[in-house]
Amino acid sequence: AAAKTTTSAPKAVKATSTVDKAQVKAFKEQVEKHLRTTIGTSPEKASKLAWWQALVATVNEDIFGRLTDTQQTHAKNDTRAVHYLSAEFLMGRLTINNLTNLEKFDVAREALKEFGLDINDICEEEPDMALGNGGLGRLAACFMDSLATCNYPCVGYGIHYENGLFRQEIRAGKQVERPDSWREYGCPWEVCRPESVQNIPLGGYVEKQTAPDGSQCSVWHPSSMIKGVPWDIPVVGYRGSSVAILRLWESRSTEQFNWDVFNAGGYVDAQTEKSLAETISKVLYPNDSTEAGKELRLTQQYFFCACSLRDILRRYKRSHHNDFSEFASKIAIQLNDTHPTIAIPELMRLLIDEEGLSYEQAWDITSKSFNYTNHTLLPEALEKWPVYIFEKLLPRHLELIYEINFRFLNGPVEAKWPGNNEMKSKLSIIEEGEVRKVRMANLCVITSEHVNGVAKIHSKLVKEDLFPDYAQLWPNKFCNVTNGVTPRRWILSCNRGLAELYNDVAGKDWPLDLDKCEALKKYADKKEYQDRFMKIKHDNKVALAKTIKELCGVEVDPNALFDVQVKRLHEYKRQHLNLLYIMSLYKSLLEDPDQDIVPQVFIFGAKAAPAYTLAKDIIFAINAVGEKINNDLRIKGKLKVVFIPNYRVSLAEKIIPAADISEQISTAGYEASGTSNMKFSMNGALTLGTMDGANIEIVEQAGIENNFIFGLSVEEVQKLKPRYNPWDYYNADHDLKAVVDWLDSDFFTPGQPGALSSIKSSLLNNGDPFLVLADFASYKAAHQRAQKMFKDKAKWAKAAMINSATMGIFSSDRSIKDYATNIWTLKSQLIKK
Ligand code: BZD
């Protein structure tokens, strides 16, 4: 059948004669078979959802064979495996990604076309798996893709949240949170594994007993039992490599859980108890930076760690029985931030209380198995749990934490700083005070073999500013692994036009070796290639303009400069700096509507933590300013501001390929790494950013002259901070003063004066903690440089191409190989078919 040319959607490619007709036919038959026999409908009646389900069933046929091969290979080789513990995995959609990794996308597209269907349209039916807040969760998802692609033995462990990150609606300019029920109609990728259910004890008390030999031991009498049900999501490596498993735990009630209640009260009360147990995996906490300190959250953390460790032990014992001497050489456990820290005392407890090892043996194993990745320096994000919560939920774990702490303070600390109590209280796992607390990060550092930050500058700050005393004790414990992102999702499947260009200039293996993309550099001066590169960008912008029209009702011109800031809303990320600049640009356009500026579209996407009032105020302000600007005929469409609601992975895949400028404007020292910065650069956006996180390494690769760097450096921020007075900047800069004061008026919020005042207040009365006013002038100047360069089409195209071509080191394959070599000592395995 002749393939018709598809429309201008970004994922569409030209009609392909390369697609094998026999494969298309076979695929088509499989889809129809599944439509009839798995889904129970027919091509005539099927809804789009049914078509998507049949498509997934077809893809799954390919996946499960490879999964078995992978697992058999790893079981046979019995080499070390990594267990990636993360409270979040932000997987997004899987269909296009899996088809791409199986190299079946073109075949599937053609097959669906023969049914009169557009594959992109069908794949819009898939809900995002949004089991994460932002960068940290998405990093875990990229790492799973790379672990599978690079054939490392691994398992990802997390929580099977019934509701992922809230769905954001914008009503009258304000964020409203709605539940995200991603499995409402079932998730066809996941497989329940009842044979691997775990029972997890909770609460109760610890009894001291004297053993026959006179020694003391502790016996935990938990008050309840929770069932952990595993759901497996296969993660397909690129090009027929391995299939890794992401195992997510769902909480259910057990009979034991209900036992007392049944006896005492009967059926209805027992149902209440049941819903309590099920609450544990009900919802993802939407805080991405402040530590909530809620009992339920600690229960979630403990629940998934306890299930995962039992799973790890069960597998280990299958081949090594009860001999734990090889445990640490076979098992590496990576803690994705402090959220899974409780796994440390839980492994100690399992080894001592359940397996009968001595404390010393258990500690030897535990301290050789764990590693910890830090993702933040923000003090309010560092987890500290009140001791009383531990006493209530995990009394035995608390006892073990005290023991670990006692031995640490009286061992290494006393040896290094004899008699120094100040040092002891600084390094202690327990924070003394009115409410005594357990410092989770300290427990991680004390136990782990390696502690890493996520970009060079961040790792330096982790070592020198966050844990300086630990670094004196163990200088070699601290290391860096710069983050990365998977080029399969973030170029190959979201930007098919660019992928084809790379196929042409770099050969078809670039998705496995992103350094190959450097080949594009030598064409960066050539008009023909510049035109092709910018045509790809333009097509992506046309597609995004359509999405913006649908989602925001705003018409934007694809010829305008698309300036994008998409990320969680936080003061340190400084969306309000961007907004102040937009207001100043608007003001200058009102003063001189005929000035010769490049038309610009400012695009935002951001969710705010529901209780973070100022962050929500900033969202409201962006919408209010946008509303005014977009409807102001005086500025002749030279400026548009859009806030795309419900930013998530699947929207990122449409937005990032269409960006000209990537806003990465955090106060230097606050963004640990950033990962969207890498995705934007790969897709040919120029970074307008500060010297923070991985931005530093991005411009190291792409050249400072091809990006727009501004603002205070980390050192300058540290120097200025103690004596900073925002009023000095406000009073000294007329333009800045005017826009800040504008926030107090009702110009953008007719009839509601003061509706935007909280932002002004945070900048002036609250001391502007993130130095927005200090960086304003420099930010404005960077925008002016960008404007100027955008007018020179050839220069811009060249810079964009160089950015894209030089991002090889930001492939998550590189990150994973760094972890595998320097931290996990893992070997890549050849998968036997
Ligand atoms: O982790 C982010 C950092 O802010 C980024 O700089 C970095 O690039 C990524 C990946 O390393 N941190 C988070 O995303 N943190 C969270 O989402 C989070 C979630 C729950 C609780 C605390 C933080």
Side-chain angles (χ1 to χ4, degrees), residues 6 13-14 16 19 105-113 117 119:
T6 49
V13 290
K14 284 169 256 111
T16 40
V19 183
F105 179 79
D106 291 338
V107 170
R109 186 196 60 228
E110 295 307 307
L112 290 188
K113 201 188 286 168
L117 302 166
I119 190 166

Side-chain angles (χ1 to χ4, degrees), residues 88 133 135-136 287-288 297 339 375 454 483 572 671-674:
E88 306 189 0
N133 271 285
L136 171 151
N287 291 330
D288 69 329
R297 173 133 168 111
H339 318 148
H375 296 266
V454 289
N483 283 167
Y572 85 77
E671 190 68 270
S673 159

